[in-house]
């Protein structure tokens, strides 16, 4: 197994860690979690629910912002600044570079999510002075957020292999929103009486990654049990889509003439 | 006969130009070239001649429209070929959040060097390019010349047998240029093959075993600098001073130019002695007489001028 993706991933992680923008986002996300404590305190009887809900939403939204905005620039920046020239002159295959960049950003997002989750845990403990057994669902919800972010990163990377950062951002966010409502797209197809429309709607809904599957924030905040089967199903689902996006990205990027 | 270090066969690169009515611009036109092992080869040409395009194709940064190339017998598509080469891009730019040491460590890892060897190599090569004291300075604080040096260090860090340098002297002050020339000399002494592009013809004359001149994407001439330019004397240069108040001889009145208190004149070889006699008659003091031969620069400009008269190469899409 080639060590190149790992080496590129560590460098990508180092780049992200040394970027001040990242810290601004993390601080902002932690402030959001902190603010949820205040909101929780004025929500009599449901303070834990409010804190978990707002906290997980903040982690998800800020993670998404980082995944999209850093993800679309991962390859573009290397091309634009021509740092890629020296790298490709080394024994590095283009797909190894892409996998490394992806791995580096996912590592960064995972570490960020971990720190934001610590912030959420601290806020929760501050309010209730205890952790409940049902809080284990928060960990599962955070794991699903990481899977979602990995998928968004792969999509951002895929689009950035053939379009500008601006367009890649639009495409990625577009797919995210459409993927969140992919179930509704299928429903729209069902209410029409046209078999062609139904087939098209079904095809689109299956093609789009279903991001709603990863959202268990409501269940986690209510302390409802999340079925174990959903963990491996979501893991396999994310792995499949990530693999498809990265294979597509590698195929496009491997044949691309750099500037 | 041993395999050439670099073999380029019919390398052609077309770029699309225009938005609505797209045409292909031929940047490189059937380039065929061989560079032997241990040779220093200078790739000369004006801006836009196709020098950087050639290097980018060899590094697989861009792909050729047609043709092929091999380095030490390995196709440029073969990633293992990259273990045997070093490359310095034109105006290199590196990750500015890294220090010089971290950058070289990143690249050294890609070649699989162990930690202790990486440490030793990084120090050795940074010192070799005169950056021993700047190892832990972030690259964002580096000057253009320092970036060029770190670029050379990363190109030779893994002891490659063939080294490609794209304009290695650009951005360097005279001291820096001298140091880079010394590094190239050292690499040649170590038996490495060096292929470098440059605008600076004096550097090429000083360093290269052979040069190739690329104009308009076409290779116009290859050979040792002394071979490709004719060594025939085309004129004689006379430097002289005249006593105050003495007019210039008639034969030089129009052609001589005054530089400081001296005159400079170029005369055909067969008229040298009559002109010297005239100068003696007007009591001029002859400072020097030098035969003038075409330089690499003259040869270069002749080729460039010839190319400028040719129409640009635009090919209709589909015509390829």
């Amino acid at each position: 197994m080639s060590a190149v993706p790992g080496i590129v991933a560590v460098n990508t992680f180092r780049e992200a860690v040394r970027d001040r923008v990242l810290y601004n986002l993390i601080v902002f996300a932690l402030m959001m979690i902190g603010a949820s404590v205040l909101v929780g305190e004025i929500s009599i009887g449901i303070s834990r629910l409010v804190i978990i809900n707002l906290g997980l939403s903040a982690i998800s939204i800020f993670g998404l912002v980082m995944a999209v905005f850093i993800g679309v620039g991962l390859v573009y920046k290397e091309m634009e600044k021509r740092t890629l020239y020296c790298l490709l002159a080394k024994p590095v295959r283009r797909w190894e570079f892409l996998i490394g960049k992806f791995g580096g950003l996912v590592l960064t997002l995972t570490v960020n999510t971990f720190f934001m989750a610590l912030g959420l845990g601290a806020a929760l403990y501050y309010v209730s002075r205890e952790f409940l057994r049902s809080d284990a669902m928060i960990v599962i919800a955070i794991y699903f957020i990481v899977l979602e972010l990995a998928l968004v990163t792969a999509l951002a990377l895929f689009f950035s292999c053939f379009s500008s950062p601006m367009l890649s951002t639009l495409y990625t966010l577009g797919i995210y929103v459409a993927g969140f409502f992919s179930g509704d797209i299928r429903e729209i197809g069902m209410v029409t009486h046209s078999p062609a429309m139904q087939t098209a709607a079904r095809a689109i809904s299956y093609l789009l990654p279903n991001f709603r599957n990863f959202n268990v924030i409501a269940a986690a905040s209510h302390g409802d049990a999340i079925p174990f089967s959903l963990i491996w199903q979501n893991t396999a689902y994310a792995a499949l889509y990530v693999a498809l996006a990265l294979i597509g990205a590698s195929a496009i990027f491997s044949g691309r003439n750099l500037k | 006969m041993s395999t050439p270090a670099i073999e380029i066969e019919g390398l052609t690169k077309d770029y699309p130009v225009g938005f609505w009515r797209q045409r292909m611009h031929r940047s490189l036109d059937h380039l065929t070239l061989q560079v032997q092992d241990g040779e220093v080869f200078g790739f000369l040409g004006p801006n836009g001649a196709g020098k950087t395009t050639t290097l980018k194709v060899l590094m697989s940064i861009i792909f050729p429209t047609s043709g092929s190339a091999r380095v030490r017998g390995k196709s440029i598509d073969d990633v293992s070929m990259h273990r045997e080469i070093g490359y310095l891009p034109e105006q290199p730019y590196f990750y500015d959040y890294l220090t010089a040491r971290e950058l070289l460590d990143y690249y050294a890892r890609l070649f699989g060097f162990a930690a202790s060897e990486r440490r030793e190599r990084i120090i050795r090569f940074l010192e070799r390019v005169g950056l021993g004291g700047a190892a832990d300075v972030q690259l964002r604080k580096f000057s253009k010349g320092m970036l060029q040096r770190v670029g050379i260090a990363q190109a030779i860090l893994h002891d490659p047998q063939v080294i490609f340098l794209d304009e290695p002297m650009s951005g360097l002050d005279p001291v820096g240029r001298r140091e880079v020339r010394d590094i190239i000399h050292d690499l040649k002494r170590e038996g490495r093959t060096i292929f470098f592009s440059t605008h600076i013809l004096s550097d090429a004359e000083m360093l290269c075993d052979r040069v190739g001149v690329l104009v308009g994407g076409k290779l116009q001439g290859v050979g040792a600098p002394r071979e490709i330019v004719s060594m025939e004397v085309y004129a004689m240069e006379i430097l002289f001073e005249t006593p105050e108040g003495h007019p210039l001889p008639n034969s030089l009145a129009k052609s001589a130019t005054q530089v400081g208190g001296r005159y400079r004149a170029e005369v055909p070889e067969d008229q040298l002695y009559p002109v010297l006699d005239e100068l003696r008659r007007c009591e001029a003091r002859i400072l020097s007489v030098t035969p003038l031969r075409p330089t690499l620069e003259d040869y270069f400009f002749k080729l460039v001028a010839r190319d400028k008269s040719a129409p640009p190469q635009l090919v209709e899409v589909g015509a390829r």
Side-chain angles (χ1 to χ4, degrees), chain B residues 119-130:
Chain B
R119 274 195 296 275
E120 182 274 318
R121 274 177 186 266
I122 290 165
I123 293 166
R124 178 155 52 96
F125 282 96
L126 281 177
E127 276 172 5
R128 188 165 180 179
V129 296

Side-chain angles (χ1 to χ4, degrees), chain A residues 14-245:
Chain A
R14 183 148 48 182
E15 177 181 9
V17 166
R18 291 184 183 177
D19 194 341
R20 282 183 203 149
V21 177
L22 191 74
Y23 291 104
N24 294 338
L25 281 170
I26 294 169
V27 167
F28 198 60
L30 289 173
M31 280 167 63
M32 285 291 292
I33 293 167
S36 71
V37 174
L38 296 175
V39 177
E41 279 181 349
I42 57 169
S43 313
I44 302 155
I46 53 165
S47 57
R48 284 180 59 83
L49 187 145
V50 172
I51 290 169
I52 296 169
N53 214 318
L54 286 180
L56 286 176
S57 300
I59 292 172
S60 174
I61 291 165
F62 286 101
L64 184 71
V65 170
M66 286 183 221
V68 174
F69 287 98
I70 302 177
V72 296
L74 275 180
V75 175
Y76 183 82
K77 253 167 69 182
E78 293 246 13
M79 288 196 290
E80 196 63 19
K81 292 187 170 180
R82 289 179 282 130
T83 45
L84 199 49
Y85 286 14
C86 283
L87 199 63
L88 291 180
K90 310 276 184 287
V92 173
R93 294 175 184 89
R94 290 191 182 196
W95 65 263
E96 291 175 324
F97 164 76
L98 276 186
I99 305 288
K101 291 304 259 185
F102 169 77
L105 184 50
V106 170
L107 178 66
T108 310
L109 293 169
T110 305
V111 171
N112 288 341
T113 305
F114 174 75
F115 281 113
M116 288 195 278
L118 282 184
L120 172 61
L124 205 55
Y125 190 77
Y126 173 77
V127 168
S128 62
R129 302 286 166 191
E130 62 173 346
F131 285 118
L132 306 177
R133 201 181 172 80
S134 60
D135 289 342
M137 297 307 136
I138 299 173
V139 178
I140 297 172
I142 288 168
Y143 172 63
F144 285 176
I145 288 173
V146 172
L147 290 181
E148 181 186 68
L149 297 182
L151 183 41
V152 170
T153 303
L155 288 172
L157 200 62
F158 171 74
F159 290 120
S160 73
C161 284
F162 59 86
S163 61
S164 67
M166 175 78 96
L167 285 175
S168 302
T169 304
L170 289 175
Y171 294 150
T172 310
L173 288 176
I175 294 276
Y176 179 79
V177 172
F180 207 83
F181 296 103
S182 64
D184 297 323
I185 293 172
R186 194 161 53 238
E187 293 301 316
I188 291 167
M190 297 303 277
V191 297
T192 64
H193 296 292
S194 155
M197 277 294 286
Q198 285 176 2
T199 309
R202 203 180 307 125
I204 291 169
S205 73
Y206 282 127
L207 196 66
L208 290 170
N210 188 341
F211 282 103
R212 194 167 273 178
N213 283 349
F214 299 102
N215 189 344
V216 290
I217 292 175
S221 55
H222 283 98
D224 296 344
I226 296 165
F228 183 75
S229 59
L230 192 62
I231 298 174
W232 73 259
Q233 280 170 4
N234 272 358
T235 306
Y237 188 80
L240 176 71
Y241 268 95
V242 164
L244 287 175

Side-chain angles (χ1 to χ4, degrees), chain B residues 4-11 28 30-36 39 41-44 54 58 68-70 164 195 210-214 219-223:
Chain B
I6 305 166
E7 295 168 274
I8 300 172
E9 281 173 23
L11 214 57
L28 202 56
H30 294 93
L31 175 69
T32 297
L33 183 66
Q34 284 194 349
V35 178
Q36 300 305 319
E39 207 173 25
F41 188 88
F43 206 37
L44 310 178
T54 306
L58 293 174
S68 64
R70 281 178 298 281
F164 295 91
F195 183 101
R210 284 194 310 144
V211 295
V213 183
L214 194 69
L219 190 66
Q220 305 282 1
V222 189

Side-chain angles (χ1 to χ4, degrees), chain B residues 237-241 259 262-265 279 285-290:
Chain B
E237 181 196 59
I238 310 169
L239 280 181
F240 61 94
E241 286 172 348
V259 185
R262 301 164 172 185
Y263 286 95
R264 179 187 176 277
L279 283 171
R285 186 168 158 241
I286 312 288
L287 299 171
S288 70
V289 177
T290 315

Side-chain angles (χ1 to χ4, degrees), chain A residues 3-4 7-9 11-12 14-16 18 78 81-94 96-97 101 253-259, chain B residues 13 56 59-64 79 82-83 85 87 89-99 102 105-107 109-111 138 140 154-155 158:
Chain A
V4 171
I7 298 165
V8 175
N11 192 53
T12 306
R14 183 148 48 182
E15 177 181 9
R18 291 184 183 177
E78 293 246 13
K81 292 187 170 180
R82 289 179 282 130
T83 45
L84 199 49
Y85 286 14
C86 283
L87 199 63
L88 291 180
K90 310 276 184 287
V92 173
R93 294 175 184 89
R94 290 191 182 196
E96 291 175 324
F97 164 76
K101 291 304 259 185
F253 191 60
S254 294
R256 183 171 172 181
N257 284 309
L258 305 179
K259 275 206 295 185
Chain B
K13 179 67 187 171
K56 282 184 180 175
M59 295 303 115
S60 300
I61 292 166
I62 55 175
F63 301 103
V79 78
H82 292 254
R83 291 198 164 273
I85 62 159
Y87 170 56
E90 186 181 9
Q91 294 172 351
Y93 189 89
F94 301 105
Y95 308 95
D96 51 15
Y97 53 89
L98 296 182
T99 64
E102 287 169 340
D105 187 65
Y106 175 38
Y107 290 144
R109 278 170 191 270
L110 296 169
F111 288 94
Q138 278 197 328
R140 75 177 84 220
Q154 64 81 32
H158 51 291

